[in-house]
Amino acid sequence: MDWKKSFFLLLISLSGLLSAQKKSEKDIWSGTYLVNEINNGASRVTDTLVIARIKDADPNEIPAKEKSDLVRWSMTSKRDGGNDEITVKRFLFDAKNNRDAYKEFGWTDLHKSGKMNCIDGGHFFICQTQPGTSVTFGKDEKYFTKTGVFGIWLHYGIVELEKSKT
């Protein structure tokens, strides 16, 4: 084999390796989730959400403060017939530029240690932590998450989510 072919094969191999490294980040959000509404200690499934990884945000079309994290997901509700798809993004955490969406809830240290991750949909957010965790909101409020996945909807409250195995 001549040196040109060898060099070309080397470039192709390196390109594949670099591409695989870039895509190696684990997607902890994509999947189907049962939404369990909790009233007076009783739980009932009220919706099913489907979250899927989509194309990254265009840095030219988002505010400067969001450019440190362009990763996005779509979310649809089966209760709404899957017609309304919204885009969700991770809680902004950019310590270098002093942007920390976890700080408001007192979860910065949990996030830094890999024990709390949240996505933001505007009027709601969804978080993942360890199953069987008591999550503190501010100083007084606590929520026990059996599954480790919970959501908070503005004007609605807290729901427990359960990621479907299928």
Side-chain angles (χ1 to χ4, degrees):
M1 187 179 331
D2 68 12
W3 72 270
K4 289 180 184 177
K5 286 182 181 176
S6 297
F7 182 71
F8 182 69
L9 289 174
L10 177 66
L11 286 176
I12 290 174
S13 298
L14 285 175
S15 171
L17 177 62
L18 291 173
S19 175
Q21 287 177 347
K22 187 177 180 181
K23 295 177 184 177
S24 66
E25 183 179 328
K26 185 179 177 189
D27 178 4
I28 64 170
W29 294 108
S30 291
T32 301
Y33 297 81
L34 300 176
V35 179
N36 295 290
E37 183 181 314
I38 301 161
N39 286 324
N40 300 323
S43 173
R44 68 181 177 97
V45 176
T46 59
D47 198 358
T48 302
L49 302 177
V50 178
I51 299 175
R53 178 79 165 78
I54 58 174
K55 185 174 101 174
D56 289 355
D58 182 341
N60 297 317
E61 296 181 8
I62 61 172
K65 72 177 186 175
E66 293 182 14
K67 291 184 181 188
S68 65
D69 190 350
L70 302 174
V71 179
R72 299 293 187 264
W73 288 264
S74 69
M75 189 176 88
T76 56
S77 164
K78 288 191 176 179
R79 180 173 55 195
D80 297 336
N83 296 327
D84 293 328
E85 181 178 297
I86 63 167
T87 300
V88 295
K89 59 189 175 190
R90 289 185 280 217
F91 263 31
L92 194 57
F93 184 79
D94 182 2
K96 184 174 76 173
N97 292 308
N98 199 28
R99 293 188 176 101
D100 178 5
Y102 294 92
K103 185 177 183 179
E104 175 182 351
F105 303 100
W107 300 337
T108 299
D109 290 339
L110 289 170
H111 176 68
K112 283 181 176 180
S113 66
K115 295 180 181 176
M116 178 71 75
N117 290 290
C118 302
I119 53 176
D120 179 7
H123 65 283
F124 72 91
F125 62 88
I126 298 171
C127 296
Q128 291 187 21
T129 189
Q130 298 294 320
T133 297
S134 186
V135 179
T136 303
F137 298 89
K139 294 180 182 179
D140 300 330
E141 293 183 62
K142 284 191 176 195
Y143 175 71
F144 179 80
T145 173
K146 186 172 124 183
T147 66
V149 185
F150 63 95
I152 299 178
W153 268 253
L154 187 63
H155 306 300
Y156 185 70
I158 298 176
V159 295
E160 183 83 9
L161 287 94
E162 183 178 353
K163 194 168 187 178
S164 176
K165 307 262 189 278
T166 58

